[in-house]
Amino acid sequence: MLTVFRKEIAAYLGSLVAYIIIGIFLLVAGLFLWVFPDTAIPDYGYAGLDSFFNIAPYLFMFLIPAITMRSFAEERKEGTFELLATWPLTDWQIIMGKYLGSLAIVLLALLPTLIYYYTVYHLGAVTGNIDTGAVIGSYIGLLLLGAGFTAIGIFASSLTKNQIIAFAIAVFLSFFAFSGFASLSNLIALQSVDTMIASLGISQHYEAVSRGVLDTRDLVYFLSFSALFLVLTKTVLAGRKW
Amino acid sequence: MSICVEELTKVYESQKAVDKVSFTAQKGRVLGFLGPNGAGKSTVMKILTCFIPQTSGKATVNGYDVNLNPIDVRRCVGYLPEHNPLYLDMYVKEFLTFAAGMHKLPDKTRHVARVIEHVSLGDEQHKKIGALSKGYRQRVGLAQALIHDPQVLILDEPTSGLDPNQLIGIRGLIRELGKDKTVILSTHIMQEAEAVCNDVVIINRGRIVANDALDNLQVTYPGKGLEEIFITLTTAGQK
Ligand SMILES: Nc1ncnc2c1ncn2[C@@H]1O[C@H](COP(=O)(O)OP(=O)(O)O)[C@@H](O)[C@H]1O
Ligand SMILES: [Mg+2]
């Protein structure tokens, strides 16, 4: 598994695409935080990273599928999956190697955003006038969210040989998982059912974690969410017909 | 028997690609798996390397069942898939080290050096695989299959697309490897089978039409070359 993991990372870092994707992510996040009038800190007059954490899930919806789309799709297109699958590895070792490899790249994209925190921390009228606890909570929420989206992306990539299709499926599934359930629950009038439906969606759990209260139920939710999509990936690989 | 295939059948959606195929392969011999395009050669090889499951029947490699002990099977098999897929962005040495890592070999550098020497890749070892010519890529594929010094080699059309000089080199190498390993190679080129194989299995539209030592086959059909025998057997059903 470690060998697959290392190869994935090397492949990402060896290609220009990864840097472009990460660059765009940082640029857009930065624009929302500093420049765009509705969300930017200088106009908002309030030292916090809220606008970053509000916009980040939507950026992740595109960033992560762009990272994960190649993982299985490319191997199938090039035929190298046949090599990988006939070396003495289990399907799980392949899946986890690829999953953790992609997740590591997501972390790498997130790392530079700590600069935003640092800047806000020193920018405030009173240095340090920022709710550090909330920021830590939000980062944990973002990590869990990233882990879930990465699992979706890996699954989508296992479905097809075509990276663009894998990307589109992953964006759609991520969007639906994030806000689809909440919208659905608004449509349904029945009170008891709609809270239940809303709790299936990611957004509710993301907001809960971001508030800084790390409830085990939210943690369990995120872990089982990722596990579900990895199990689905395994099912797809096990039924290979090519 | 190092490879034992019994009544192997594979059905793709509606089409029967392999139909009750049975044969065995022995250590120290090269078995030529012959048949026209679409006969089902690659399908059998993919089942033997645990890439795809069969529909019915049984296959074992060195006593390990492909369904029950797939990891053990893969450990003792070196496989060169058809069309020789490779990570073109990797450097030759990087790729072979990666393959060695997949087999969890303790001394990767030594094994990489060994196979590079074995398939004469010395001059190309620092190049990107994507920059190599077809003949050298084929050697990289073979080196990958040999990295763990496997007892069984499964080579799917290992010489397709090579020029005559490269052909001679690779064929010599395969003959050499066949002396102390079990080798199965598929081809539809009869001169090749005559040049390197000890045993011959001919498959046509999923069914076995001949299964014998090359010498015996030439006794059964006196005065005929393998080419004629092949054509007689693979067109018989169509008349
Ligand atoms: N993934 C697949 N799905 C459907 N049919 C397939 C698939 N792979 C191979 N076949 C069919 O099975 C038959 C045998 O193919 P193959 O084993 O590749 O033959 P060979 O290697 O002898 O040329 C062919 O008719 C081919 O079209
Ligand atoms: Mg074939």
Side-chain angles (χ1 to χ4, degrees):
Chain A
M1 191 189 86
L2 222 57
T3 315
V4 181
F5 174 74
R6 261 188 259 122
K7 182 215 136 217
E8 287 300 295
I9 299 206
Y12 283 123
L13 298 184
S15 79
L16 205 57
V17 184
Y19 298 101
I20 294 174
I21 295 169
I22 295 175
I24 291 175
F25 169 72
L26 294 174
L27 183 72
V28 175
L31 285 178
F32 274 102
L33 201 52
W34 307 112
V35 182
F36 290 169
D38 287 344
T39 51
I41 291 174
D43 302 333
Y44 217 48
Y46 161 70
L49 289 174
D50 296 12
S51 57
F52 168 66
F53 288 114
N54 287 335
I55 198 72
Y58 296 96
L59 295 180
F60 266 18
M61 254 171 231
F62 293 94
L63 166 84
I64 293 178
I67 290 173
T68 54
M69 63 182 186
R70 51 168 290 284
S71 61
F72 281 104
E74 192 185 31
E75 301 249 14
R76 279 180 57 179
K77 183 156 174 289
E78 301 295 325
T80 47
F81 187 71
E82 192 163 350
L83 281 181
L84 206 52
T86 51
W87 278 322
L89 300 170
T90 62
D91 283 0
W92 274 120
Q93 287 172 317
I94 299 176
I95 294 169
M96 289 314 288
K98 286 189 172 284
Y99 174 66
L100 296 176
S102 296
L103 197 55
I105 301 297
V106 174
L107 283 185
L108 202 65
L110 213 47
L111 217 54
T113 65
L114 289 173
I115 293 171
Y116 301 156
Y117 168 73
Y118 180 83
T119 322
V120 173
Y121 187 90
H122 287 282
L123 204 73
V126 186
T127 301
N129 187 14
I130 178 172
D131 187 348
T132 304
V135 170
I136 293 175
S138 300
Y139 266 110
I140 293 175
L142 215 46
L143 279 184
L144 292 172
L145 178 85
F149 282 1
T150 306
I152 290 181
I154 294 283
F155 167 67
S157 184
S158 74
L159 292 173
T160 166
K161 284 183 184 180
N162 185 321
Q163 294 191 34
I164 306 299
I165 294 176
F167 175 79
I169 296 175
V171 171
F172 174 78
L173 285 178
S174 302
F175 179 76
F176 187 80
F178 187 74
S179 39
F181 290 104
S183 324
L184 213 62
S185 76
N186 288 339
L187 285 177
I188 299 170
L190 283 170
Q191 268 301 319
S192 57
V193 189
D194 74 354
T195 44
M196 204 186 77
I197 293 181
S199 73
L200 285 175
I202 295 184
S203 60
Q204 208 185 56
H205 298 274
Y206 174 63
E207 280 154 23
V209 176
S210 300
R211 258 180 258 124
V213 265
L214 195 60
D215 191 323
T216 37
R217 272 173 304 175
D218 295 317
L219 205 59
V220 167
Y221 169 82
F222 276 110
L223 292 183
S224 26
F225 184 89
S226 305
L228 170 72
F229 277 96
L230 295 176
V231 168
L232 286 175
T233 310
K234 162 89 172 92
T235 316
V236 173
L237 292 190
R240 55 177 158 255
K241 293 205 186 89
W242 60 90
Chain B
M1 282 317 141
S2 333
I3 296 183
C4 193
V5 175
E6 288 167 45
E7 304 264 297
L8 203 66
T9 299
K10 175 74 186 181
V11 182
Y12 288 115
E13 277 103 55
S14 58
Q15 184 197 6
K16 220 177 222 185
V18 174
D19 191 1
K20 293 204 177 122
V21 162
S22 306
F23 66 89
T24 58
Q26 291 164 37
K27 192 175 151 111
R29 295 180 78 83
V30 178
L31 183 141
F33 201 43
L34 318 180
N37 283 322
K41 305 182 294 294
S42 299
T43 304
V44 171
M45 291 181 149
K46 284 176 186 175
I47 295 170
L48 281 175
T49 51
C50 316
F51 181 58
I52 53 172
Q54 74 272 41
T55 309
S56 66
K58 188 177 146 129
T60 59
V61 177
N62 275 2
Y64 297 115
D65 187 296
V66 293
N67 305 110
L68 303 177
N69 314 94
I71 300 293
D72 293 305
V73 170
R74 291 175 204 175
R75 265 195 207 112
C76 55
V77 172
Y79 177 42
L80 178 67
E82 193 175 15
H83 310 309
N84 187 24
L86 295 168
Y87 295 100
L88 301 180
D89 289 338
M90 283 190 174
Y91 292 89
V92 172
K93 253 187 151 163
E94 180 195 7
F95 171 68
L96 294 174
T97 311
F98 172 58
M102 290 301 191
H103 285 284
K104 298 207 172 66
L105 300 180
D107 191 354
K108 289 188 236 174
T109 331
R110 186 174 59 83
H111 285 282
V112 171
R114 190 198 88 236
V115 291
I116 285 179
E117 163 87 36
H118 199 158
V119 303
S120 321
L121 262 174
D123 295 339
E124 318 288 323
Q125 58 179 309
H126 298 295
K127 290 190 182 166
K128 257 196 178 176
I129 295 175
L132 298 182
S133 68
K134 180 132 194 184
Y136 278 108
R137 283 189 199 181
Q138 206 71 11
R139 288 179 201 213
V140 174
L142 206 53
Q144 167 277 123
L146 290 170
I147 191 80
H148 53 308
D149 196 16
Q151 295 179 39
V152 176
L153 266 184
I154 297 183
L155 312 173
D156 199 350
E157 306 202 8
T159 59
S160 70
L162 300 189
D163 70 39
N165 290 326
Q166 296 168 332
L167 276 183
I168 291 171
I170 297 261
R171 284 178 188 167
L173 194 61
I174 293 171
R175 249 196 321 261
E176 201 58 39
L177 288 165
K179 285 183 183 157
D180 61 349
K181 297 184 193 302
T182 310
V183 181
I184 297 193
L185 94 145
S186 76
T187 179
H188 51 258
I189 306 162
M190 295 307 126
Q191 296 92 310
E192 177 155 301
E194 282 175 321
V196 297
C197 300
N198 310 106
D199 299 310
V200 169
V201 168
I202 302 180
I203 178 172
N204 186 34
R205 292 195 272 162
R207 295 218 176 112
I208 289 195
V209 291
N211 178 5
D212 214 336
L214 185 62
D215 302 340
N216 290 345
L217 216 54
Q218 278 155 350
V219 173
T220 319
Y221 298 89
K224 283 191 179 178
L226 190 56
E227 184 110 38
E228 287 171 86
I229 301 173
F230 178 82
I231 290 172
T232 314
L233 288 170
T234 53
T235 51
Q238 279 152 344
K239 280 179 191 151

